[in-house]
Amino acid sequence: MRFEYTIEAGNFTKAGDASSSFKKILKQLNVDPQIIKRIVVSLYEGEVNIVAHANGGKVICDVDTSRVHMQLIDIGPGIPDIAKAMQAGYSTASAKVREMGFGAGMGLQNIKNNADELIIKSEVGVGTQLTIIVNLNKE
Amino acid sequence: MQVKDIIATLNLTIFGGSQGLTHEITGGYTSDLLSDVMGHAENGKIWITLQTHKNVIAIASLKDLAAVILIKGLEPDADMLAQAEEEGIPVLGTMDQAFETTGKLFNLLIR
Ligand SMILES: Nc1ncnc2c1ncn2[C@@H]1O[C@H](COP(=O)(O)OP(=O)(O)OP(=O)(O)O)[C@@H](O)[C@H]1O
Ligand SMILES: [Mg+2]
């Protein structure tokens, strides 16, 4: 099953809407609550990064019996140094965004800690693509 | 202990989301950094914060937190309140600052 969501740049009143909708679907599909938590933490952080740092984008969530596969694709500006962006505490968030309590530089770490797999591809001037995989079956 | 059981003792205002007053409390988490709460606050925690915007409820709901307490007499933005009503997350208020609120809640929960 595939679920798609559009993410608007800079629109913080809608940040989290995709994650909330997808959480409801996962609940209906009877996914384990602890696994749902890990999926939505990952999705939320990726979603908010598109709102805060990118020029907009979309999320594609594929669910099968064994895993949830999420792609977060934005249309730029891209991440110049992915290793640096992954460091806890590193953030380029604007003053306005920080005032709201975002910009601690912890979002990508949260994804890494909650996902079974995280792949980040980015090209400056083109965009960023996150692939996040969470397995549905507990080992 | 449920959210409704701390209202009188902590002298809290109920702004909205009262469908969630029967949520069981497992503890508290005090932070104004949203991704800190996202990463570290667990189910059933009471979130003590000075953030008053809608994203607070998104996080509280995604993480199944018990309630949010706004400190220092702060009031929720209109869209935060609307979202709290929709998601059934109690938004509570206190005149105390974060240190006192956290201390009082801690004492109440360890009894
Ligand atoms: N989709 C993106 N497009 C462009 N830059 C990004 C994107 N996602 C992350 N970044 C860059 O990586 C940095 C670190 O991201 P991370 O999510 O870890 O922290 P943050 O968003 O700054 O703060 P927090 O997530 O704690 O609110 C960002 O500050 C930004 O510079
Ligand atoms: Mg982030």
Side-chain angles (χ1 to χ4, degrees), chain B residues 1-12 94 96 104-105 107-108 111:
Chain B
M1 196 180 296
Q2 295 182 346
V3 177
K4 63 175 166 49
D5 304 322
I6 66 166
I7 306 291
T9 325
L10 296 186
N11 196 17
L12 300 171
T94 175
D96 288 335
K104 285 179 188 174
L105 180 64
N107 279 324
L108 206 58
R111 280 206 203 114

Side-chain angles (χ1 to χ4, degrees), chain B residues 28-97:
Chain B
Y29 200 82
T30 305
S31 180
D32 303 317
L33 296 174
L34 304 193
S35 54
D36 175 36
V37 176
M38 204 60 192
H40 303 287
E42 285 130 30
N43 284 9
K45 296 275 164 93
I46 300 251
W47 180 6
I48 297 166
T49 185
L50 51 65
Q51 299 292 351
T52 57
H53 53 85
K54 193 184 164 198
N55 298 271
V56 170
I57 302 301
I59 291 172
S61 164
L62 288 171
K63 296 286 288 188
D64 295 314
L65 304 184
V68 175
I69 299 180
L70 303 180
I71 54 164
K72 298 201 289 190
L74 291 163
E75 292 181 14
D77 296 350
D79 58 357
M80 172 176 178
L81 201 53
Q83 191 73 14
E85 288 293 338
E86 196 178 315
E87 302 280 350
I89 305 281
V91 177
L92 313 168
T94 175
M95 297 311 287
D96 288 335
Q97 50 155 305

Side-chain angles (χ1 to χ4, degrees), chain A residues 52-72:
Chain A
H53 308 298
N55 305 320
K58 63 178 175 183
V59 178
I60 302 168
C61 303
D62 289 302
V63 186
D64 63 33
T65 50
S66 66
R67 65 182 198 169
V68 169
H69 180 278
M70 299 179 279
Q71 288 165 275
L72 295 94

Side-chain angles (χ1 to χ4, degrees), chain A residues 5 7 13-22 44 47, chain B residues 54 58 83:
Chain A
Y5 307 93
I7 315 295
T13 60
K14 284 197 183 165
D17 284 5
S19 307
S20 297
S21 304
F22 193 52
Y44 179 85
E47 185 184 349
Chain B
K54 193 184 164 198
Q83 191 73 14

